[in-house]
Amino acid sequence: MLRDIDPILSPELLHTLRAMGHGDEIVIADANFPGTSTGTLCIRADGSSVSEILRAVLSVMPLDNFVPDPALTMQVVGDPDAVPEAVADFQQIINETADNPAVVQGLERFAFYDRAATAFAVVQTGERRLYGNIILKKGVIG
């Protein structure tokens, strides 16, 4: 155990977050997301929700404040302006936890998959809410 570090952050996830550099991205994904087939490192967190992992990650990782979209979610197919329950929750967590709060931006489904395929890693959770996926861009500690 470590002080002031959420125990939900596994050793593998902590190592991954520490290894990431400025501008690298991490996906925190729901149970339906094709995490393993993205071709990037997939860390399993089946017993956790995306919201729990998001809050824990943001407690140790800064969001990039040099880009307009450091937090991206998948748009609802056929209704890109809709805000699913999970996405509203993510925005609240970012507002409360991030060192550089940002407005969550949406990406079309297949653009989200393409972006996820270039991420440093995917954290696959047991999240069951639809559209419970978010990509975070790592910032700098100054």
Side-chain angles (χ1 to χ4, degrees):
M1 295 300 296
L2 298 170
R3 270 187 227 136
D4 301 324
I5 294 181
D6 192 320
I8 203 170
L9 296 172
S10 68
E12 185 179 14
L13 181 50
L14 280 171
H15 177 267
T16 299
L17 292 170
R18 178 64 179 96
M20 291 171 61
H22 176 229
D24 282 339
E25 294 180 330
I26 189 163
V27 180
I28 307 172
D30 64 25
N32 291 304
F33 191 80
T36 301
S37 66
T38 63
T40 189
L41 170 67
C42 184
I43 300 167
R44 301 299 301 202
D46 297 293
S48 300
S49 71
V50 171
S51 294
E52 292 168 326
I53 297 292
L54 175 62
R55 186 176 302 280
V57 166
L58 290 176
S59 74
V60 297
M61 187 191 90
L63 282 181
D64 193 335
N65 64 341
F66 294 111
V67 296
D69 56 355
L72 298 164
T73 59
M74 185 185 296
Q75 293 174 338
V76 174
V77 175
D79 189 2
D81 295 325
V83 180
E85 174 192 340
V87 174
D89 191 34
F90 301 162
Q91 184 65 69
Q92 182 176 346
I93 291 167
I94 288 169
N95 292 347
E96 295 170 355
T97 310
D99 59 336
N100 297 304
V103 175
V104 174
Q105 304 292 317
L107 279 178
E108 182 274 331
R109 177 182 174 209
F110 293 107
F112 188 94
Y113 289 145
D114 290 344
R115 185 79 167 256
T118 66
F120 195 91
V122 172
V123 181
Q124 182 93 54
T125 72
E127 179 69 61
R128 299 198 52 167
R129 293 178 296 178
L130 297 178
Y131 297 96
N133 307 292
I134 189 165
I135 299 173
L136 302 175
K137 186 178 288 286
K138 187 176 183 180
V140 297
I141 296 175

